[in-house]
Amino acid sequence: MPVTLVARKARNARPVHLVSEGKIEDCGLDARTLAWARSNGFTGKEGAFLLVPGDDGKVSSALFGAPARMEGFSPLGTGKLAKSLPEGDWHLEGTAGDAELAALGIALGGYAFTRYGKKPTRAISVHVPGIDPSAIQSRAEAIALTRDLINTPAADMGPEDLEKAVRALARKHRAKVAVVKGDALLKRNFPMIHAVGRAAAQAPRLIDMSWGARNHPRITLVGKGVCFDTGGL
C-alpha cells in the first residue's frame, strides 16, 4: 500500500492540521497560515483540503476539514488525505477525538487495485499520535485483501483461486487449512454445498482455516465465498 503509518514522527515530517468548520481560529495556526486559509476560502468544511506553502514556496503543511468529534464519522473521510498529500513524511496535528479512526481512514484511503497494472510509485508516511500503527496497518491490509478478492474479475476468481488466496493467507500467519471439495462433500455430509456448485467448471469446496493454540478461546467465523456461475461455496 502506498501509505505507511509510522510509530515515530520523522524529523522532516510536515504537519496536517485537522480543522473543524467554524473553529479554524482555535486550532493554533500561525497568522500566515490563517491568512492563506482565508484567502483560499478554507473554512474547515468536512473533507476540504488545502496545501500551505512555506517561505521558500514549497509545501510546508496542509489543512483538512474534519468534524469536531470523529465518532460516527466515516473512516473514508480522512482517506482523502492518502490521495491528496504530496509524497513524503507527514504527521497529524489534532485528531478530533479519535486517533485510531483517523489513522484507519488514511490507511484505507491508500488502497489501490494493482493486480493487472503498475503499482503506485508515490508513497507517503503518516505519524498519528496515540495509536499502534502496526495494529491499524494490519486492519487496513485485511480490508485491502478483501477488496482485492472482490475487485478481481470473475474469470480469475473461481473456487480454485479463492482457495489459493486462503492458503497464501494461512502461510503468512502460520495457520492450518483443510479443504473438502467435489464429491468428497457428499461423503462428509455437505450435500447443499455440492448441489449448489456442482455444475461449475471448478469443483465447489469447503475451506477450513484454523489458527492458534488448543488452549486459546475458540471463535468460529462462517462465511460464503461466491464465485461467478457457482451459486456459492
Side-chain angles (χ1 to χ4, degrees), residues 110-220:
Y111 171 77
F113 183 62
T114 60
R115 175 165 176 161
Y116 304 104
K118 296 181 180 179
K119 294 184 178 181
T121 56
R122 171 181 164 275
I124 65 172
S125 71
V126 182
H127 171 257
V128 181
I131 69 160
D132 178 355
S134 61
I136 300 297
Q137 202 86 44
S138 293
R139 290 164 63 184
E141 289 174 0
I143 295 172
L145 172 59
T146 302
R147 295 171 76 176
D148 280 347
L149 295 175
I150 294 171
N151 289 331
T152 302
D156 292 332
M157 189 47 64
E160 291 180 1
D161 302 290
L162 188 58
E163 179 183 336
K164 290 178 182 178
V166 173
R167 291 188 181 279
L169 183 64
R171 284 194 298 271
K172 180 178 180 181
H173 297 285
R174 298 181 180 179
K176 297 179 180 178
V177 176
V179 178
V180 182
K181 66 180 180 180
D183 291 340
L185 291 165
L186 297 175
K187 297 179 181 179
R188 296 285 297 276
N189 198 27
F190 296 110
M192 294 308 297
I193 298 178
H194 183 273
V196 171
R198 63 186 177 183
Q202 297 181 15
R205 61 208 66 199
L206 174 70
I207 304 172
D208 182 7
M209 180 169 62
S210 58
W211 176 88
R214 289 181 177 273
N215 61 343
H216 284 172
R218 292 176 179 268
I219 300 176
T220 300

Side-chain angles (χ1 to χ4, degrees), residues 5 56 63 82 84 183 193 205 219 221 232:
L5 299 175
D56 57 1
L63 304 177
S84 303
D183 291 340
I193 298 178
R205 61 208 66 199
I219 300 176
L221 303 177

